[in-house]
């Protein structure tokens, strides 16, 4: 017997509202992003829940958490809206231009170079829309598990998810300090010496923290963590304010500025890592996603590598 669930699930707009609530993590923030009132969003979510016959989310410690049923509906909503997006792009191609939406979920540190990658691509395809979601490694992995986006960017890609990957760009992690810091006067520094200084560390779930902890474990050392900070930009400004030293991606310096900072000559650094683009092996890429992948492999990779090569701390 053919399922009639689709006759009750709701409208395309309700599915868009569902994804907004999931992505924003709250009814209020979803309403703001969609320019709707909070009661309107709540009503539409309740209608979807009634149609399914199960709650789509619950509140745990005042935080909105999707149920297993809700997450399954999110996956279906992504597939449905992607189908219409592909149709939109196909019709656009028939009119001799490409349109639609490119969805990217990237880890926080990559936000410094991703806009420089998107700029030339959007010039080539001015009619497309970009949906860029920025989070830490754990948040981006969760989005990848749900198949929400076209591409995901990691410095340390997950190994337990079936996906295609492209090693895209070098991502050296370097030690930085204020130019007046005592370590800045030394011509060579050991990792053990670095660990003695007050250290500014990224939050748990960050790819940068994962790489630093792996290096320290390898050398049986522990950092003297003075502060845990959830933003590379905040870490840079804290180092500029002489609150401590840190290890961050060279890309943060290339595209984010480096006033008053010096790169420390630590024997065991830089930590060699790379940026990876990943995409689902079970999800058919849209036309725009295919065009973006070609851009990544050709012009984009060369453009960003040249920028990184030119950048160096004095």
């Amino acid at each position: 017997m053919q399922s009639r669930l689709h006759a009750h699930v709701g409208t395309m707009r309700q599915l868009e509202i569902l994804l907004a609530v999931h992505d924003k993590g709250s009814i209020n923030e979803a309403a703001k992003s969609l320019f709707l009132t909070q009661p309107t969003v709540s009503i539409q979510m309740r209608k979807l829940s009634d149609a399914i016959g199960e709650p789509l989310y619950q509140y745990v410690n005042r935080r909105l958490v999707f149920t297993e049923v809700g997450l399954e509906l999110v996956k279906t909503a992504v597939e449905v809206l992607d189908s219409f997006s592909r149709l939109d792009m196909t019709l656009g191609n028939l009119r001799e231009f490409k349109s639609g939406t490119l969805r990217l979920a990237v880890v926080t540190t990559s936000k410094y170079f991703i806009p420089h990658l998107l700029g030339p691509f959007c010039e080539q395809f001015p009619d497309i829309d970009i949906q860029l979601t920025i989070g830490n490694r754990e948040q981006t992995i969760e989005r990848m598990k749900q198949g929400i986006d076209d591409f995901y960017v990691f410095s340390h890609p997950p190994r337990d998810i079936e996906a295609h990957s492209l090693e895209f760009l070098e991502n050296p992690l370097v030690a930085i300090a204020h130019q007046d810091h005592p370590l800045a006067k030394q011509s060579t520094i050991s990792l053990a010496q670095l660990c003695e200084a007050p250290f500014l560390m990224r939050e748990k779930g960050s790819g940068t923290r994962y790489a630093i902890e792996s290096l320290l474990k390898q050398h049986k050392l522990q950092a003297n963590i003075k502060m845990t900070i959830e933003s590379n930009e905040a870490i840079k400004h804290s180092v500029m304010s002489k609150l401590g030293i840190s290890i961050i991606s060279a890309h943060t310096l290339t595209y984010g500025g480096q006033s008053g900072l010096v790169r420390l000559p630590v024997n065991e650094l830089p930590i060699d890592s790379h940026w990876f683009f990943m995409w689902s092996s079970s999800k058919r890429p849209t036309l725009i996603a295919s065009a973006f992948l070609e851009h990544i492999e050709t012009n984009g990779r060369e453009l960003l590598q040249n920028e990184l090569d030119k950048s160096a701390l004095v």
Side-chain angles (χ1 to χ4, degrees):
M1 181 178 178
Q2 185 178 4
S3 171
R4 298 293 298 167
L5 181 61
H6 67 278
H8 305 286
V9 165
T11 65
M12 295 287 293
R13 186 55 170 166
Q14 285 177 331
L15 296 183
E16 290 175 343
I17 291 172
L18 171 73
L19 292 185
V21 172
H22 176 266
D23 290 349
K24 298 299 181 181
S26 81
I27 298 293
N28 187 45
E29 291 302 316
K32 290 179 182 178
S33 70
L34 295 170
F35 301 100
L36 298 174
T37 64
Q38 185 172 339
T40 297
V41 172
S42 297
I43 289 171
Q44 295 306 318
M45 290 295 289
R46 186 161 57 249
K47 286 182 177 180
L48 271 177
S49 180
D50 291 343
I52 295 296
E54 297 282 348
L56 303 181
Y57 58 86
Q58 56 190 359
Y59 285 94
V60 179
N61 295 327
R62 297 184 178 180
R63 187 169 67 92
L64 187 150
V65 178
F66 269 70
T67 63
E68 186 175 352
V69 170
L71 291 176
E72 286 300 321
L73 185 56
V74 166
K75 291 180 183 178
T76 299
V78 169
E79 293 171 0
V80 170
L81 294 177
D82 272 353
S83 295
F84 276 91
S85 178
R86 284 193 293 269
L87 174 61
D88 184 32
M89 287 185 287
T90 300
L91 295 177
N93 287 333
L94 293 176
R95 300 185 187 103
E96 298 184 351
F97 68 89
K98 287 185 170 69
S99 60
T101 301
L102 177 68
R103 296 185 178 90
L104 298 124
V106 307
V107 294
T108 310
T109 305
S110 68
K111 71 181 181 180
Y112 294 98
F113 70 80
I114 287 294
H116 297 269
L117 188 63
L118 289 172
F121 184 72
C122 290
E123 288 182 4
Q124 186 179 0
F125 302 108
D127 296 301
I128 68 169
D129 296 320
I130 303 292
Q131 180 180 308
L132 178 62
T133 303
I134 300 171
N136 65 24
R137 184 172 183 269
E138 291 181 352
Q139 292 166 337
T140 307
I141 287 175
E142 184 59 32
R143 290 184 69 88
M144 187 174 179
K145 288 179 178 178
Q146 297 175 34
I148 296 174
D149 307 280
D150 296 306
F151 293 101
Y152 306 86
V153 177
F154 296 97
S155 58
H156 297 85
R159 299 177 180 177
D160 57 347
I161 302 177
E162 187 175 347
H164 299 293
S165 67
L166 171 68
E167 186 178 302
F168 170 66
L169 191 68
E170 293 179 359
N171 179 37
L173 302 182
V174 299
I176 61 169
H178 188 276
Q179 60 189 9
D180 295 333
H181 193 282
L183 289 179
K185 313 302 180 185
Q186 298 185 203
S187 58
T188 181
I189 302 166
S190 69
L191 187 61
Q193 286 178 283
L194 193 76
C195 287
E196 293 174 1
F199 194 88
L200 310 179
M201 180 69 88
R202 281 294 304 271
E203 81 285 3
K204 289 187 180 296
S206 158
T208 300
R209 179 168 183 147
Y210 175 85
I212 295 171
E213 289 180 338
S214 296
L215 177 69
L216 296 180
K217 183 178 180 180
Q218 177 185 342
H219 291 275
K220 299 180 180 180
L221 294 170
Q222 283 190 334
N224 176 21
I225 300 176
K226 180 177 182 180
M227 295 175 63
T228 299
I229 304 176
E230 296 187 359
S231 159
N232 281 311
E233 199 63 30
I235 283 182
K236 280 174 48 183
H237 283 284
S238 297
V239 174
M240 291 177 190
S241 300
K242 304 181 181 181
L243 292 176
I245 60 173
S246 191
I247 296 176
I248 62 175
S249 168
H251 289 285
T252 304
L253 304 171
T254 302
Y255 297 104
Q258 54 195 45
S259 176
L261 302 178
V262 295
R263 180 169 169 171
L264 297 177
V266 180
N267 296 332
E268 294 85 353
L269 296 180
I271 300 175
D272 293 324
S273 64
H274 293 80
W275 289 112
F276 291 83
F277 272 87
M278 302 188 73
W279 63 99
S280 173
S281 55
S282 61
K283 180 179 177 181
R284 186 175 67 177
T286 63
L287 294 173
I288 279 297
S290 297
F292 185 66
L293 183 59
E294 182 179 354
H295 169 67
I296 292 171
E297 293 181 295
T298 54
N299 304 334
R301 189 202 304 261
E302 183 178 356
L303 170 69
L304 294 187
Q305 189 61 60
N306 288 341
E307 288 293 327
L308 182 60
D309 290 344
K310 288 189 295 184
S311 175
L313 284 175
V314 178

